[in-house]
């Protein structure tokens, strides 16, 4: 087995262990375990980026910086669900979305008529839903973050990133071509963050909140893996 294959296997094992530990922490309510396992996934993904032969130094810098910002967001949002930590986390993840968008733009991705309206419409609806009950600093920050996330999702859905991919309903269909995973990863990222808003503002049942938390963490980790794998794939 070559060194590259050994490293790739090790990355998958370490990421899998971090993901399993994070999901387990959500199911058991073990916040201390989550503070260790969730941020641990970021260095693994960053290592994957630095090993990629398909990226220029500038592209590696964008993705590693984006992952570092995501790690900061993991830290803040793992500490508590208080508004001030949520604002710090959303701001950090907003930086991630900006850097991911710049990367995708450099790769030729652009907003398209088939991809932009539904994503921007979903962002607008979520922003209105957050501000109608009681406008607050956290709702304003989350609205801005939602716009940044929608931008990333729109660019990630551009078929130009995977020219030979099958497109259905304006969505690139994931296949064996890892570049098709970018769109799915961005969509999962959006679903994860939407679940956070639903849990925070609309759910009172502790059981449902716990189930949503498990979904949030599972979909978030899967989204980051898909995005990194897709963005480091050969063209």
């Amino acid at each position: 087995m070559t060194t590259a294959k050994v490293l790739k296997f090790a990355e998958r094992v370490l990421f899998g262990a971090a993901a399993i530990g994070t999901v387990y922490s959500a199911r058991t309510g073990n916040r201390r375990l989550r503070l260790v396992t969730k941020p641990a996934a970021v260095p693994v993904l960053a290592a994957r980026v630095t090993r990629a032969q398909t990226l220029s130094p500038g592209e590696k810098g964008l993705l590693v910086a984006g992952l570092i910002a995501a790690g900061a967001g993991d830290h803040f949002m793992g500490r508590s669900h208080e508004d001030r930590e949520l604002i710090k986390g959303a701001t950090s993840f907003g930086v991630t979305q900006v850097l991911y968008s710049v990367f995708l733009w450099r790769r030729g991705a652009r907003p398209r008529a088939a991809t932009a309206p539904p994503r921007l419409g979903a962002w607008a609806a979520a922003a209105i839903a957050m501000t109608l009950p009681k406008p607050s600093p956290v709702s304003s920050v989350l609205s801005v973050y939602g716009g940044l996330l929608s931008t990333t999702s729109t660019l990630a859905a551009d078929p130009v990133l995977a020219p030979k991919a099958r497109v259905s309903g304006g969505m690139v269909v994931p296949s064996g071509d890892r570049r098709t995973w970018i769109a799915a990863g961005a969509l999962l990222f959006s679903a994860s963050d939407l679940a956070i808003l639903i849990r925070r503002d609309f759910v009172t049942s502790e059981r449902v909140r716990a189930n949503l938390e498990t979904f949030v963490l599972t979909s978030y980790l899967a989204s980051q893996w898909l995005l990194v794998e897709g963005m480091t794939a050969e063209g």
Side-chain angles (χ1 to χ4, degrees), residues 1-17 44-45 47-54 176-178 181 225 228-230 232-234:
M1 186 179 290
T2 65
T3 301
K5 288 184 178 180
V6 170
L7 290 173
K8 187 175 182 178
F9 177 76
E11 287 165 0
R12 288 178 173 176
V13 170
L14 291 172
F15 185 86
V44 177
L45 295 175
R48 174 74 184 91
V49 170
T50 58
R51 280 199 316 106
Q53 301 296 314
T54 57
D177 181 351
R178 289 190 293 124
W181 300 359
W225 177 264
V228 169
E229 283 292 301
T232 57
E234 292 186 15

Side-chain angles (χ1 to χ4, degrees), residues 72-124:
D74 290 336
H75 172 72
F76 292 128
M77 297 186 75
R79 290 173 61 184
S80 77
H81 295 307
E82 294 182 6
D83 282 358
R84 65 174 181 272
E85 299 302 328
L86 192 58
I87 289 173
K88 292 177 183 177
T91 301
S92 298
F93 278 115
V95 173
T96 298
Q97 300 305 330
V98 169
L99 293 169
Y100 282 1
S101 290
V102 171
F103 177 93
L104 296 171
W105 187 275
R106 284 169 57 115
R107 283 292 177 94
R110 298 291 186 270
R112 309 291 178 186
T115 58
R119 288 162 177 80
L120 295 178
W123 162 63

Side-chain angles (χ1 to χ4, degrees), residues 28-29 62 108 116 121 235:
T28 59
L62 284 171

Side-chain angles (χ1 to χ4, degrees), residues 23-24 26-27 199 209-219:
V23 174
Y24 176 77
R27 296 304 300 172
R199 183 196 63 200
R209 288 172 66 86
N211 288 334
L212 277 174
E213 179 71 1
T214 301
F215 173 79
V216 165
L217 294 173
T218 302
S219 55

Side-chain angles (χ1 to χ4, degrees), residues 93-175:
F93 278 115
V95 173
T96 298
Q97 300 305 330
V98 169
L99 293 169
Y100 282 1
S101 290
V102 171
F103 177 93
L104 296 171
W105 187 275
R106 284 169 57 115
R107 283 292 177 94
R110 298 291 186 270
R112 309 291 178 186
T115 58
R119 288 162 177 80
L120 295 178
W123 162 63
I128 292 171
M130 283 186 293
T131 57
L132 277 181
K134 184 180 179 182
S136 67
V138 70
S139 64
S140 299
V141 171
L142 291 178
S143 294
V144 173
Y145 169 71
L148 298 175
L149 177 59
S150 295
T151 300
T152 302
S153 181
T154 298
L155 295 176
D158 190 349
V160 75
L161 297 171
K164 297 181 180 180
R166 186 165 67 89
V167 179
S168 178
M171 179 73 181
V172 174
V173 178
S175 68

